[in-house]
């Protein structure tokens, strides 16, 4: 069975049906940055840091590599002035929320992003959804979810579930690109134990 022939950064590749650009690039050893992607989870396309240029039948568009499926004769460019500019702005916006994230700082260095370009709104959550999706899709526990909307959107543990499940699991913790998750968990634990003392001693 013949595969789908496409070109990424000038290199021909035979991909299989259903592969995304990100997966094809990874097979070729071409690095595309991601923040919300996890190979065991459904593609999410939230952070857009994996934006690449996809040219098909002479038309070029910007697409999220983690979502966009390969197709015959697709020409992909993973770096260009335009792509780097987009990634730089995305990083600057995210750094306003999580200025101390090591992962963001490393990417900022690569793309020349200015950590102080936008006013700080340090919520520490960049809405990648990795913890929420991991707990729902892999652990099937739904111990953590999103609360609020828009720029106020953040993750929050559900104390009733988290107090039973998380202490023995913590599998989503290392996935967090900003380390906010540990802080949120510690906070929930503290709240749960203070509620416990209030109920039992009050
Ligand atoms: S630590 Fe808690 S929130 Fe995270 S995956 Fe495990 S059960 Fe889910």
């Amino acid at each position: 069975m013949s595969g789908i022939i496409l070109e990424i950064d000038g290199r021909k590749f035979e991909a299989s049906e259903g592969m995304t650009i990100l997966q094809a690039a990874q097979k070729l050893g071409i690095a595309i940055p991601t923040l919300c992607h996890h190979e065991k989870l459904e593609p999410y396309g939230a952070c857009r840091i994996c934006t690449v240029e996809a040219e098909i039948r002479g038309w070029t568009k910007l697409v999220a590599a983690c979502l966009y499926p390969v197709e015959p004769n697709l020409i992909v460019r993973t770096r260009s002035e335009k792509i780097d500019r987009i990634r730089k702005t995305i990083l600057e916006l995210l750094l306003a929320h999580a200025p101390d994230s090591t992962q963001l700082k490393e990417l900022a260095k690569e793309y020349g992003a200015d950590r102080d370009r936008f006013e700080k709104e340090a919520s520490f959550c960049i809405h990648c959804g990795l913890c929420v999706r991991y707990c729902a899709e892999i652990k099937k526990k739904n111990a953590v979810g999103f609360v609020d909307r828009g720029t106020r959107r953040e993750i929050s543990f559900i104390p009733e579930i988290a107090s039973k499940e998380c202490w023995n699991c913590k599998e989503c913790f290392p996935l967090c690109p900003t380390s906010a998750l540990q802080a949120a968990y510690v906070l929930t634990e503290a709240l749960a134990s203070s509620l416990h003392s209030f109920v039992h001693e009050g």
Side-chain angles (χ1 to χ4, degrees), residues 35 47 49 89-99 104 118 126:
L35 288 166
C47 73
I49 199 80
T89 305
I90 292 172
L91 288 166
E92 288 168 342
L93 287 165
L94 294 178
L95 280 161
H97 288 286
L104 291 183
F118 296 106
I126 58 164

Side-chain angles (χ1 to χ4, degrees), residues 131 134-136 139 141-144 157 161-162 165-167 169-173 181 185:
C131 57
Y134 186 88
C135 193
K139 303 298 291 185
K141 299 292 183 196
N142 298 300
V144 61
F157 284 84
I161 309 175
E165 307 291 345
C166 302
W167 69 276
C169 168
K170 302 186 174 83
E171 286 173 32
C172 63
F173 285 22
L181 198 54
Y185 177 66

Side-chain angles (χ1 to χ4, degrees), residues 9 18 22-23 26 37 42 105-107 109 112 115 118 121-122 124-125 139 142 155-156 165 196:
D9 291 347
L22 178 65
Q23 288 167 328
Q26 283 170 341
H37 180 75
E42 287 296 315
K105 283 197 284 189
E106 273 167 18
L107 284 169
K109 237 187 267 165
R115 189 168 163 267
F118 296 106
E121 248 188 279
F124 306 103
C125 181
K139 303 298 291 185
N142 298 300
I155 55 123
S156 175
E165 307 291 345
H196 186 266

Side-chain angles (χ1 to χ4, degrees), residues 51-192:
T51 297
V52 294
E53 283 176 9
E55 185 185 322
I56 190 86
R57 290 178 285 278
W59 291 91
T60 302
K61 53 187 176 180
L62 294 166
V63 300
C66 71
L67 290 176
Y68 202 87
V70 293
E71 55 185 301
N73 306 317
L74 187 66
I75 298 171
V76 178
R77 280 176 291 277
T78 70
R79 292 292 291 257
S80 69
E81 210 177 295
K82 193 175 194 177
I83 294 167
D84 284 12
R85 213 170 42 238
I86 291 169
R87 291 184 186 157
K88 174 179 178 291
T89 305
I90 292 172
L91 288 166
E92 288 168 342
L93 287 165
L94 294 178
L95 280 161
H97 288 286
D100 297 321
S101 158
T102 312
Q103 206 175 329
L104 291 183
K105 283 197 284 189
E106 273 167 18
L107 284 169
K109 237 187 267 165
E110 186 172 349
Y111 291 95
D114 176 1
R115 189 168 163 267
D116 300 315
R117 175 163 170 207
F118 296 106
E119 201 180 323
K120 299 275 174 306
E121 248 188 279
S123 61
F124 306 103
C125 181
I126 58 164
H127 313 138
C128 69
L130 281 171
C131 57
V132 175
R133 293 181 292 130
Y134 186 88
C135 193
E137 290 178 35
I138 308 287
K139 303 298 291 185
K140 316 265 186 236
K141 299 292 183 196
N142 298 300
V144 61
F146 278 116
V147 288
D148 253 323
R149 296 168 145 224
T151 53
R152 295 175 60 85
R153 198 164 187 243
E154 278 188 33
I155 55 123
S156 175
F157 284 84
I158 319 298
E160 301 77 26
I161 309 175
S163 58
K164 286 197 209 90
E165 307 291 345
C166 302
W167 69 276
N168 200 20
C169 168
K170 302 186 174 83
E171 286 173 32
C172 63
F173 285 22
L175 307 183
C176 180
T178 72
S179 302
L181 198 54
Q182 286 94 324
Y185 177 66
V186 170
L187 186 65
T188 308
E189 236 185 357
L191 288 175

